[in-house]
């Protein structure tokens, strides 16, 4: 799985230090959940109990590698969420701070939008974005997603952006 500049693959145990580095950066996690960094131990628990087992039916968060350097720069993918009691499929994307502003999040999210539609057969996708997260709102807009509603997800107020195959 790849784009012009990026390659995507499943995380492995060897990738844990990079995953932990994302959770340790307060700027990266500012709009993730409650915006709190995680200790190495907390990140390891999430890595082992949620991320690695999350590869189901082509879904999950895939490590993003910069093709030129083969260095990890973030992760993106499609994950199942329960929003207002309804099963939804979210395009998620995180980048290490030093890679912000280069269009990588849009490139990765665009890839997974097409992948979800063509490979997974999904007709509706969402992005759950905190209202102050202007960068992610911009990415969702570039994907053709529209603001559908405001809700609360895991006690956090979020905007729900949606794309459907009939848009």
């Amino acid at each position: 799985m790849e784009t012009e500049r990026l390659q995507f693959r499943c995380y492995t145990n060897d990738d844990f230090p990079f995953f932990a580095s994302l959770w340790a950066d307060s700027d990266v996690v500012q709009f993730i959940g409650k915006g709190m960094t995680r200790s190495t131990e907390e990140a390891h628990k999430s890595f082992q109990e949620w991320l690695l087992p999350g590869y189901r039916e082509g879904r999950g968060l895939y490590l993003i590698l910069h093709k030129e350097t083969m260095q990890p720069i973030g992760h993106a993918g499609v994950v199942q969420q329960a929003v207002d009691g309804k099963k939804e499929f979210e395009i998620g994307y995180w980048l290490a701070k030093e890679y912000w502003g280069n269009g990588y999040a849009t490139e990765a999210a665009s890839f997974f939008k097409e992948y979800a539609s063509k490979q997974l057969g999904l007709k509706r996708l969402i992005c759950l974005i905190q209202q102050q997260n202007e960068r992610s709102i911009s990415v969702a807009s570039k994907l053709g997603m529209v603001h559908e509603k405001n809700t609360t997800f895991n006690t956090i107020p979020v905007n729900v952006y949606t794309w459907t195959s009939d848009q």
Side-chain angles (χ1 to χ4, degrees):
M1 298 191 305
E2 63 183 21
T3 64
E4 181 182 336
R5 301 181 296 168
L6 307 174
Q7 189 176 80
F8 309 100
R9 67 165 171 79
C10 295
Y11 270 94
T12 68
N13 283 318
D14 291 341
D15 301 314
F16 173 72
F18 175 75
F19 181 79
S21 76
L22 293 176
W23 274 109
D25 188 321
S26 59
D27 289 331
V28 171
V29 300
Q30 178 182 6
F31 298 114
I32 304 298
K34 293 181 169 67
M36 306 290 288
T37 58
R38 290 190 182 173
S39 69
T40 301
E41 295 77 20
E42 291 167 325
H44 191 261
K45 181 177 181 180
S46 177
F47 189 78
Q48 293 296 325
E49 295 180 7
W50 183 79
L51 182 84
L52 292 180
Y55 297 111
R56 291 187 191 90
E57 300 169 0
R59 298 188 312 265
L61 288 178
Y62 293 83
L63 184 68
I64 304 171
L65 300 169
H66 190 279
K67 283 170 70 171
E68 190 175 298
T69 64
M70 294 311 286
Q71 292 298 308
I73 67 168
H75 56 236
V78 178
V79 294
Q80 186 174 314
Q81 305 283 19
V83 180
D84 297 334
K86 180 181 174 188
K87 180 171 77 171
E88 298 273 16
F89 294 98
E90 179 183 21
I91 298 175
Y93 40 89
W94 300 23
L95 289 180
K97 183 172 42 187
E98 59 267 32
Y99 297 99
W100 292 1
N102 295 294
Y104 297 129
T106 301
E107 189 172 330
S110 294
F111 172 85
F112 280 103
K113 176 185 165 193
E114 186 170 327
Y115 171 81
S117 175
K118 293 184 176 168
Q119 301 297 317
L120 304 180
L122 299 176
K123 306 285 187 216
R124 175 181 162 88
L125 297 166
I126 67 165
C127 283
L128 299 172
I129 305 173
Q130 293 184 27
Q131 295 170 351
Q132 304 85 357
N133 191 347
E134 294 174 10
R135 289 178 182 269
S136 282
I137 291 169
S138 174
V139 170
S141 296
K142 289 175 187 173
L143 296 181
M145 300 182 100
V146 296
H147 180 260
E148 180 179 87
K149 64 181 177 179
N150 297 336
T151 192
T152 302
F153 181 75
N154 293 337
T155 74
I156 307 296
V158 295
N159 295 330
V160 179
Y161 284 80
T162 62
W163 170 86
T164 56
S165 60
D166 59 353
Q167 282 180 333

